[in-house]
Amino acid sequence: MAELERDPQHGSAKRQQRVQAFTNNMQHASLERQLLASQAAKAELDIKLREKELQIERLERDKRWLYQRETEERETREKEGAEREEERRQSDAEIRSLRASLSALRDTHVELQEAHSTLSRTHSQEVSSAKTRLVTLEHQTRTLEDELADYRRLADERGDALREAQQRAEDLEIAVQSSRREEADSASWPMIRDELHRQAEYMRTLENTNARQAAELARLKEKHASIEVLREEKLTLERRLAGMEEMRGRVVGLEAQLDAARREREEWVKKGNVGPRASDTSISVTQTLSALRLEHARLLEEHGATVAHLRSREAELVGAEQRTSGLQDHASTLETETRALKDKVAAREHRAELAEREIGFLQALLASYTAEEGTKDDSGGVDEVLAQRVHQLESASAELKAANVVLQNALERAEEENMLGGARRTRPELLEELERERDAAEASRLELEEARNAAQSHLDNIETLEQTLFELRGKIGTGSHVPPGIRVLSLRDNPAQQWTDLRQEAMDRLKHENEALIKRLKQLGDAGARVDTTEGESNADGSHAPREDLVPRESWEVLDREKKELEELVKQKEKRLLRLQQVFASKSAEFREAIASILGLKLAFYPNGQVRVTSIYDLEAAFVFQPAGKSAEGGVEGARMQLVAQSEGGPQDLPQMMRYWVEEEQCIPGFLASVTLECYDKSKREEAL
Amino acid sequence: MATKQAPTRQAITLKGSTNLVTEFFKYAANTILFQRGVYPSDDFHMVKKYGQTVLVTQDLALENYLDRILSQVNKWLLTGSVTQLVLAIISKDSRVTLERWVFDVNLVEPPADSTTPSAPKPESEIQAEIRYILKQIVSTVTFLPIIDEPTVFNILAYTHESADVPADEWVDTDPLAIEASKSQQVKLRSFSTDVHRIEAMVAYRYEG
């Protein structure tokens, strides 16, 4: 047991020991394992360390190499930097210089631009001026060319003239040579020339006289013609004058007859005066007298006629004289014309004379030449030729002269025609113009016709338009037509619109109400079962709480509005009533006061119709009246009063007065008046006391 | 001097004439409304005008309405942009136009050839003409069909397209025409100032 007891302790210790040993073993083993492992790790690490060291060494080497490289590079870089710096500086300097040069160049550019612009301006100016100059020069050149052409023409003409002149000169030279030769040959030349001169002189004088005489002849012929005319006129006038003379003679004769007749009549009258008794002769006398009177009358008539004739003749004479004077004027103008013509003719003839003289001279010359030729036959051939040539030339010159004359005549005729006035020259023009005018007139007539037609059509148109206008006016009146360009306007807020708005509003309201009712009806139809309980009460008032929704809101609103309106109306009415009451009260007070002050009585109206009357002089004298029943009075008057009560006070003889006035006379106003008098006396007496 | 004076005189005449015409419209409209029973006759009171008594409404709303129209018409008359004024009487129930009282406004052309203006028309003469028209309006009751239904009225203004219209007050509207087959027309008298000439006419619905 002990062992057992020990044993367990021992065993447990042993066990503990064993466990500890085991654990120690185990720890040991594990530690060894750890050691081994750590050794292995150490070896491994050593290897690694060595490797690292190797690596480090290599890296160190590399580093060193790299450092070297770096230093090298740095050096090179520094060098390069220095170079850069240098270069930069150089480039800066360069840039600066370039900038300077740029600015300089800009300045020069600007200057150049300015110069360019000025130059361009001047250039344009120059160009324009040059253009203008060019134009002017062109113009000048044109004019100069024209002039040149003119001059050229002139020069040609001159050249022609010159050539002609040379020709002539050559001819003349030839002639001169020949003549010289002849002159040299002949000694009698001066004599012949003199003779020729003399003859030419003579010829000239003859021609002169001839021309003068011809001119005179022409003038005289003209004069003669006009004189002939005048003479004829004169002759006719003289013939008329002779007629006049005859008439005058007749007039004288008639006057003489008249005188004689007068004398005879006077005699007759005397005779009549002397012997009225000669009744037998009176008949014959009266007969003769009447005959004589007739004669006298006739003679007077004749005289008048002759006088009238004379007057007409005189008028004719005057007309004739005027005509003669006109004719004379005409003659004088004609004479002047003829003189001018004669002058011209003289000039012509003079020229002709000159020409003829020349011809004569030349002919003489020729004759002399031919004579000479006849005398001298030795130089025959050449002279013959020359003579022929001269002949030819002469004939040519004669032809030319004739042509010249013809041309001159033509020229004169043309001038005359010119001188005779533009009318003749423009006659064709006038005719043309007339034709044109006629055409224009025709055209305008046609136009007029057209215009008239157009006017007619326009009038018709106007008529139809007026008709339509009338119709349209009617249409506008009924409002079924609105003219174009016209707006129909009305105020937005006009009575018609207000009315329609009002109606629309009512309509809308009813519609809403209707809709709500229909809805309600449908609901009720759906509900079905409850119909019998709610039927017939849809229009009942909405105050009933459980049936509030039976009436649609819309109809309730309508009713509410109506109610409000009615309330408003009631309020207004009440107000008016109040106002009326006030007015009535004030009026009745006024009335009472008036009664009191006028009649001396105070009135108080009771609601039952009775009236209490109190005198203002004695307040104790009060009476109450009641309107009498209508049945009692019959129909005499509306409201008769009946005295029903009286107060204790009042005048002493009141019962007496009452008896007299009320019972006997039945006159309440009289009773009241006497009561008023009594009361007044009483109050006065009391005041005096 | 004469040329300077003429326009001012013209301007005064135009303004005076415009006022005259506007006033005429006022009384004519009142007379028609009274005579045709558009408003109850209690609403009207008598006024002395143009040498006779004229009935003029006391209805404030109506007065206000007429005043607003007439002030605008006055402006239009000054610019010459109104050509016609129409007072249409409409049935309340059927909304059919029963009567159209038409007043044509024409500008009187001054005679082109006369350099000296013709003597101005005396105002008494113009008033007499206006009086005749008003009397004629009264007398139309004798031939116009009796209106035995409630009516309202509206006033239309025919203006040029170019007229200056206050858009918030005036609106384009239907011309309230009477069917052509059922309409009768009676031309009334006219009156003229030196500037305006007013021609009156009544067209009414007549189903005979």
Side-chain angles (χ1 to χ4, degrees), chain A residues 473-497 499-500 503-504, chain B residues 65 69 84 92-93 95 100 102 153-159 161 167-173 175 177-178 183 185 201:
Chain A
R473 198 166 271 181
K475 275 189 182 174
I476 291 166
T478 59
S480 47
H481 174 83
V482 177
I486 292 291
R487 288 174 74 179
V488 184
L489 300 168
S490 71
L491 263 185
R492 194 189 287 279
D493 186 24
N494 58 62
Q497 192 61 42
W499 170 249
T500 51
R503 270 176 63 152
Q504 194 63 42
Chain B
Y65 170 66
I69 285 184
Q84 209 172 64
K92 262 187 182 174
D93 298 331
R95 297 172 76 174
R100 286 178 109 253
V102 181
F153 82 105
N154 195 3
I155 292 178
L156 312 178
Y158 281 53
T159 64
E161 294 270 17
D168 51 336
E169 276 197 327
W170 291 77
V171 286
D172 286 298
T173 183
I178 301 172
S183 76
Q185 293 161 42
M201 191 186 92

Side-chain angles (χ1 to χ4, degrees), chain B residues 24-195:
Chain B
F24 162 72
F25 282 138
K26 180 185 167 189
Y27 288 108
N30 269 304
T31 307
I32 293 165
L33 294 178
F34 173 77
Q35 292 296 336
R36 304 308 295 147
V38 180
Y39 284 82
S41 49
D42 298 346
D43 282 2
F44 293 85
H45 71 288
M46 284 197 270
V47 164
K48 196 94 174 164
K49 188 75 198 173
Y50 304 123
Q52 65 177 18
T53 48
V54 186
L55 284 146
V56 177
T57 184
Q58 281 179 306
D59 187 333
L60 277 175
L62 177 58
E63 247 179 289
N64 186 24
Y65 170 66
L66 284 176
D67 284 347
R68 273 167 63 201
I69 285 184
L70 291 173
S71 67
Q72 184 58 46
V73 166
N74 199 327
K75 280 177 203 160
W76 279 333
L77 281 172
L78 278 175
T79 53
S81 48
V82 64
T83 61
Q84 209 172 64
L85 279 178
V86 176
L87 193 156
I89 295 177
I90 309 153
S91 163
K92 262 187 182 174
D93 298 331
S94 58
R95 297 172 76 174
V96 167
T97 310
L98 300 175
E99 287 171 20
R100 286 178 109 253
W101 296 81
V102 181
F103 298 96
D104 269 327
V105 181
N106 297 313
L107 281 172
V108 175
E109 293 290 325
D113 53 336
S114 65
T115 48
T116 52
S118 53
K121 197 168 181 173
E123 186 145 354
S124 58
E125 201 176 313
I126 300 170
Q127 285 208 353
E129 284 178 1
I130 292 177
R131 196 158 57 231
Y132 292 145
I133 297 187
L134 292 180
K135 281 199 169 145
Q136 214 177 14
I137 290 172
V138 173
S139 70
T140 50
V141 179
T142 54
F143 63 82
L144 287 177
I146 292 163
I147 299 176
D148 52 1
E149 51 187 324
T151 52
V152 284
F153 82 105
N154 195 3
I155 292 178
L156 312 178
Y158 281 53
T159 64
H160 293 298
E161 294 270 17
S162 56
D164 199 10
V165 178
D168 51 336
E169 276 197 327
W170 291 77
V171 286
D172 286 298
T173 183
D174 173 63
L176 297 174
I178 301 172
E179 293 144 86
S181 58
K182 290 175 183 168
S183 76
Q184 300 272 321
Q185 293 161 42
V186 176
K187 205 163 156 49
L188 304 181
R189 283 172 180 276
S190 64
F191 86 93
S192 62
T193 66
D194 289 329
V195 183

